[in-house]
Amino acid sequence: MANFFLVLWAVTPPLLLLIYYYRRVSTAPSLLRLLLFFVFGAISGFVALSLGWVVETHINSFAAWREIRRTLVGVALRQVLVVGPIEEGCKIIAVLVPSWYFQRRYRLRPSSIFLFTIAVALGFTAQENWIYLFHETASVFDRAIGTPVHAMFSAPWGYALALFLQSKTQLRRYTPNIPRSWFNSVICHALVNFLSSSWRYPAPLFFLSYGLFPFFVWMFWRLEQLLRKVQGKTPIILISGYTPQHRLWEQGLVVFALMLGGNAIFGLFLLVRSFNSLSPSQVFYPGTLWLLLSRFLLNLIFGLVAWTIYCYLRYSARRRYFK
């Protein structure tokens, strides 16, 4: 029974997110087919785990590598050369092979192939959730927060693959480069794992971890933009200035909003983790309660400022567009 609930906690958040994207796309394939790709993603996760174990077993036989991997540079190299390529490689194969088969029988829309990518990535996430929860190396809350991460990693090559497969049935002037898009995903994958590991090191390396959640927000924005593109919708425009100075000012506002919004989410994430570590009696101590409330309000204010900047840029872009 315990294993059943473990699987339930691992699978439920990715499945809910898959249904959310399924409901958002009006021309989505059948839910049953998406669930099939979800299973393919989980299988690819186990394949990636096995391949990663084999590769790391071999390279750990070198004494020089064992010394390097203890440093932050070694962490970065491991992510770029081993973890990122294996995991993104297994995911793209899990999308490409069945999509190619279905494309020969049906004329799949780009939005369908992009949804297949999301389904595979979420299936991969479910498998990864189960591994973490089974070995008790992460909490349910931690894994739930990270549910969309693999989908955000895979968005560039999923978009490129969608347009490439469509170009086989329809004449298109431009299709994104799949190897380049895949490499982009590998770098993003490696960078996220690198930033999430930096908090273990002393300052100033510790402060690199504050770039993690702003990077998450940017990747989520990119996922949403690519989803709009494959549906034939116009992208959401934030940079709309006519002069270089004005565009530079707007780009600075975007970066500032990402930093504020991302670290507001990061602060709330740390606050919930701190709250979970307290007993019910400790929560209602006057000092503890005030600390929790003040940090919540501070992060909420930062988040509202970031949202205000976003709304200002959207309003400016609409006003210039309809002028």
Side-chain angles (χ1 to χ4, degrees), residues 10 22 24 41 51 55 76 92 111-112 116 119 133 137 139 158 167 182 190 196 202 209 219 241 265 277 294 297:
Y22 167 74
R24 281 185 56 189
L51 284 176
V55 171
I92 196 172
S111 57
S112 297
F116 292 158
L133 296 177
T137 52
S139 67
S167 70
W182 178 83
S196 63
S209 60
M219 285 196 300
I265 298 172
S277 64
S294 61
L297 290 175

Side-chain angles (χ1 to χ4, degrees), residues 224-236:
E224 290 293 312
Q225 291 284 71
L226 294 176
L227 181 62
R228 291 179 66 89
K229 284 185 177 182
V230 295
Q231 295 181 83
K233 298 179 180 179
T234 56
I236 296 174

Side-chain angles (χ1 to χ4, degrees), residues 169-180:
T169 56
Q170 299 178 19
L171 182 63
R172 295 185 62 90
R173 293 183 178 179
Y174 167 75
T175 56
N177 185 284
I178 294 178
R180 187 183 303 163

Side-chain angles (χ1 to χ4, degrees), residues 292-303:
L292 293 174
L293 183 60
S294 61
R295 288 190 177 181
F296 172 78
L297 290 175
L298 181 64
N299 287 297
L300 182 63
I301 290 171
F302 286 160

Side-chain angles (χ1 to χ4, degrees), residues 1-289:
M1 185 60 71
N3 287 335
F4 170 77
F5 283 109
L6 201 66
V7 172
L8 192 64
W9 280 116
V11 171
T12 300
L15 276 179
L16 290 176
L17 189 59
L18 179 60
I19 293 171
Y20 166 74
Y21 279 110
Y22 167 74
R23 296 291 298 272
R24 281 185 56 189
V25 179
S26 59
T27 58
S30 67
L31 184 57
L32 185 61
R33 192 169 294 172
L34 282 179
L35 292 176
L36 180 63
F37 276 84
F38 185 88
V39 173
F40 290 156
I43 294 171
S44 72
F46 285 107
V47 173
L49 186 66
S50 302
L51 284 176
W53 180 81
V54 170
V55 171
E56 296 218 48
T57 299
H58 281 81
I59 63 176
N60 283 336
S61 61
F62 298 98
W65 174 252
R66 290 198 300 269
E67 289 296 324
I68 293 174
R69 67 169 296 176
R70 294 173 186 160
T71 66
L72 197 59
V73 174
V75 171
L77 286 175
R78 176 176 173 268
Q79 296 300 327
V80 173
L81 300 177
V82 180
V83 177
I86 288 176
E87 294 192 0
E88 294 304 318
C90 289
K91 283 190 287 183
I92 196 172
I93 291 172
V95 176
L96 178 59
V97 174
S99 294
W100 189 273
Y101 170 77
F102 285 125
Q103 185 73 348
R104 295 178 65 182
R105 302 185 61 184
Y106 316 102
R107 298 184 64 177
L108 297 175
R109 297 181 178 90
S111 57
S112 297
I113 299 169
F114 195 74
L115 279 178
F116 292 158
T117 302
I118 292 176
V120 165
L122 292 175
F124 193 101
T125 301
Q127 175 272 338
E128 199 173 68
N129 286 350
W130 182 81
I131 294 295
Y132 277 100
L133 296 177
F134 181 79
H135 293 283
E136 298 181 351
T137 52
S139 67
V140 173
F141 174 73
D142 292 347
R143 296 310 304 167
I145 285 291
T147 297
V149 172
H150 275 287
M152 295 189 295
F153 291 154
S154 304
W157 60 255
Y159 175 73
L161 193 63
L163 296 192
F164 172 77
L165 291 178
Q166 187 194 31
S167 70
K168 297 301 179 182
T169 56
Q170 299 178 19
L171 182 63
R172 295 185 62 90
R173 293 183 178 179
Y174 167 75
T175 56
N177 185 284
I178 294 178
R180 187 183 303 163
S181 301
W182 178 83
F183 183 69
N184 181 296
S185 297
V186 170
I187 294 300
C188 289
H189 193 141
L191 184 57
V192 164
N193 289 346
F194 171 77
L195 292 175
S196 63
S197 302
S198 60
W199 67 269
R200 303 171 188 167
Y201 295 86
L205 297 177
F206 169 83
F207 295 108
L208 291 173
S209 60
Y210 286 97
L212 178 62
F213 274 75
F215 191 55
F216 277 161
V217 175
W218 176 79
M219 285 196 300
F220 182 75
W221 169 261
R222 181 179 64 175
L223 170 65
E224 290 293 312
Q225 291 284 71
L226 294 176
L227 181 62
R228 291 179 66 89
K229 284 185 177 182
V230 295
Q231 295 181 83
K233 298 179 180 179
T234 56
I236 296 174
I237 298 174
L238 296 182
I239 309 299
S240 59
Y242 294 124
T243 64
Q245 294 82 0
H246 199 180
R247 291 177 67 85
L248 185 62
W249 161 252
E250 291 177 335
Q251 289 166 359
L253 284 179
V254 169
V255 173
F256 184 58
L258 287 174
M259 294 299 297
L260 278 179
N263 283 298
I265 298 172
F266 184 42
L268 293 173
F269 170 73
L270 294 178
L271 190 63
V272 172
R273 292 186 68 178
S274 301
F275 182 82
N276 287 336
S277 64
L278 298 174
S279 65
S281 59
Q282 289 176 319
V283 172
F284 293 100
Y285 289 165
T288 304
L289 192 60

